[in-house]
């Protein structure tokens, strides 16, 4: 946003930022108790219990956003591994495994089915970012069995799974070689709190905790996360609202001549050879969207108010 504001000469507060896929109407954070600021963060303060209930998982570890786990897991794998990553997908996974000295194999969707038989680690984002491809739990568990039989890992990043919790692998994570990453950044709109979870067998969670060190999640963030995870009424209402907003965004883009090739309730993904031109035309109006080059495409997040919806519709017409 800062770079775009400088490049186009439009002050940052005047932009409509649709580049993130974050819920624009995030969890309403109330006053944080003073003790959360004054004391060191404490394990088992209620956050872990709230997360276990929300995810339906027995073993989990709070971390400073799923990014902390993305960087930690490659360092724990040990000797050089052959790691499969879907392309396109969230770039930080491949970057972290390469940085740790592992061989990264970029996979297409068609190559996924046979990949588990040849890899040491398979890393997937489900639903995928940015293509929004959903992989069903049964298929993923089949791949996990193939990998685990040879000491391999299946790592599934479920950053956008909260709107479809029935598709999650969270409940299967006591299984050896299965790692699920969750975050409060997208659905809950709490990206700035930097709270995520690793769901995995206890032995691996202890090793991750040792690697990350104590107090990885600040006390105020732990307090906010617990409130959000326990607020079932807000979660139910938000899932319904996001489903409606996702359908509205799909229709708006289709009517503008950009039919989405995939989408979730939090974003829509449009393939177009004119991605760079359209991104630039929108940016000149102070509307920021995410562009991808392989393949040429755009990802649109959700507007947060009726005025922003109208601004996007007008911007698309002018672009």
């Amino acid at each position: 946003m800062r770079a775009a504001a400088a490049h186009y000469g439009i002050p940052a507060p005047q932009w409509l930022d649709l580049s993130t896929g974050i819920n624009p109407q995030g969890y309403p954070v109330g006053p944080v108790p003073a003790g959360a600021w004054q004391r060191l963060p404490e394990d088992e303060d209620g956050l872990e219990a709230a997360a276990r209930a929300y995810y339906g998982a027995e073993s989990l570890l709070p971390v400073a956003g799923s990014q902390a786990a993305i960087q930690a897991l490659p360092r724990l794998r040990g000797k050089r591994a052959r790691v499969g990553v879907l392309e396109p997908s969230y770039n930080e996974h491949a970057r972290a495994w390469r940085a740790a000295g592992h061989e990264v194999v970029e996979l297409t969707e068609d190559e996924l089915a046979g990949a588990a038989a040849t890899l040491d680690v398979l890393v997937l984002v489900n639903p995928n970012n940015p293509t929004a491809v959903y992989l069903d739990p049964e298929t993923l568990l089949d791949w996990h069995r193939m990998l685990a039989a040879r000491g391999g890992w299946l790592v599934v990043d479920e950053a956008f799974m909260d709107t479809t919790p029935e598709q999650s692998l969270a409940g299967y994570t006591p299984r050896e070689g299965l790692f699920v990453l969750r975050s409060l950044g997208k659905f809950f709109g709490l990206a700035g709190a930097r709270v995520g979870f690793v769901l995995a067998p206890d032995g691996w969670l202890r090793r991750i905790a040792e690697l990350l060190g104590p107090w990885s999640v600040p006390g105020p963030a732990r307090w906010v996360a617990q409130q959000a995870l326990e607020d079932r009424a807000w979660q139910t209402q938000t899932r319904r609202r996001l489903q409606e907003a996702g359908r509205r965004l799909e229709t708006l883009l289709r009517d503008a001549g950009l039919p989405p090739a995939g989408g979730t309730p939090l974003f829509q993904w449009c393939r177009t050879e004119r991605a760079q031109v359209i991104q630039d035309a929108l940016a000149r109006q102070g509307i920021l969207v995410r562009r991808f080059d392989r393949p040429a495409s755009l990802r649109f997040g959700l507007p947060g108010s009726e005025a922003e919806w109208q601004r996007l519709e007008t911007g698309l017409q002018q672009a």
Side-chain angles (χ1 to χ4, degrees):
M1 172 58 70
R2 294 178 187 275
H7 179 77
Y8 289 95
I10 302 173
Q14 297 179 19
W15 283 77
L16 171 57
D17 186 2
L18 305 179
S19 67
T20 66
I22 293 171
N23 181 359
Q25 298 179 16
Y27 187 75
V29 178
V32 179
W37 295 103
Q38 297 165 349
R39 297 170 61 88
L40 287 172
E42 299 172 331
D43 294 338
E44 298 297 342
D45 55 359
L47 174 59
E48 285 86 350
R52 291 186 193 107
Y54 177 78
Y55 295 120
E58 299 175 16
S59 302
L60 52 79
L61 175 71
V63 293
S66 53
Q67 184 65 35
I70 290 171
Q71 295 179 228
L73 287 176
R75 298 166 62 187
L76 293 175
R77 178 61 195 182
K79 65 180 182 180
R80 191 170 190 264
R82 193 165 186 265
V83 183
V85 179
L86 183 63
E87 176 64 30
S89 191
Y90 182 53
N91 290 331
E92 289 298 317
H93 288 286
R95 190 195 315 273
W97 286 94
R98 286 194 179 100
H102 300 285
E103 176 193 359
V104 173
V105 181
E106 295 183 354
L107 303 168
T108 65
E109 289 180 31
D110 294 337
E111 293 170 333
L112 280 178
T118 65
L119 297 169
D120 301 306
V121 179
L122 178 58
V123 181
L124 298 169
V125 180
N126 192 38
N128 191 40
N129 174 22
T131 65
V133 169
Y134 279 86
L135 297 166
D136 65 85
E138 293 76 15
T139 297
L140 291 171
L141 291 173
D142 283 343
W143 293 346
H144 166 254
R145 281 189 287 269
M146 295 175 63
L147 289 157
R150 307 191 318 277
W153 291 0
L154 175 65
V155 180
V156 185
D157 182 345
E158 295 185 344
F160 288 96
M161 186 60 77
D162 295 81
T163 55
T164 53
E166 68 280 358
Q167 297 291 321
S168 175
L169 292 188
Y172 299 94
T173 47
R175 299 185 182 187
E176 183 61 34
L178 178 59
F179 298 81
V180 172
L181 311 183
R182 298 296 293 260
S183 169
L184 270 68
K186 304 300 190 297
F187 173 76
F188 290 96
L190 295 173
R194 306 311 304 140
V195 181
F197 296 89
V198 186
L199 286 56
D202 286 332
W204 285 109
L205 296 181
R206 285 192 292 270
R207 293 185 62 182
I208 296 170
E210 291 172 1
L211 180 63
L212 297 178
W215 313 306
S216 63
V217 180
R222 292 181 65 96
W223 184 87
V224 169
Q226 181 181 341
Q227 311 311 305
L229 290 169
E230 291 179 339
D231 195 336
R232 298 305 174 90
W234 182 89
Q235 294 160 18
T236 299
Q237 181 183 23
T238 298
R239 286 192 183 97
R240 186 181 305 115
R241 179 179 58 79
L242 290 175
Q243 294 284 355
E244 294 173 355
R247 289 191 291 268
R248 180 178 180 180
L249 181 58
E250 179 184 5
T251 300
L252 189 157
L253 291 168
R254 192 177 302 279
D255 291 347
L258 281 174
T264 74
L266 284 162
F267 67 83
Q268 296 292 320
W269 182 63
C270 304
R271 291 190 63 167
T272 170
E273 294 302 320
R274 301 180 64 244
Q276 185 170 354
V277 173
I278 296 171
Q279 182 197 42
D280 179 71
L282 290 171
R284 293 181 184 281
Q285 303 173 67
I287 301 173
L288 186 63
V289 298
R290 179 70 184 274
R291 190 186 86 243
F292 299 86
D293 296 325
R294 294 191 305 162
S297 54
L298 297 170
R299 190 188 66 191
F300 291 78
L302 296 175
S305 66
E306 189 60 35
E308 291 182 352
W309 281 100
Q310 295 303 319
R311 183 176 175 184
L312 174 60
E313 182 174 5
T314 301
L316 286 167
Q317 292 171 352
Q318 294 182 4

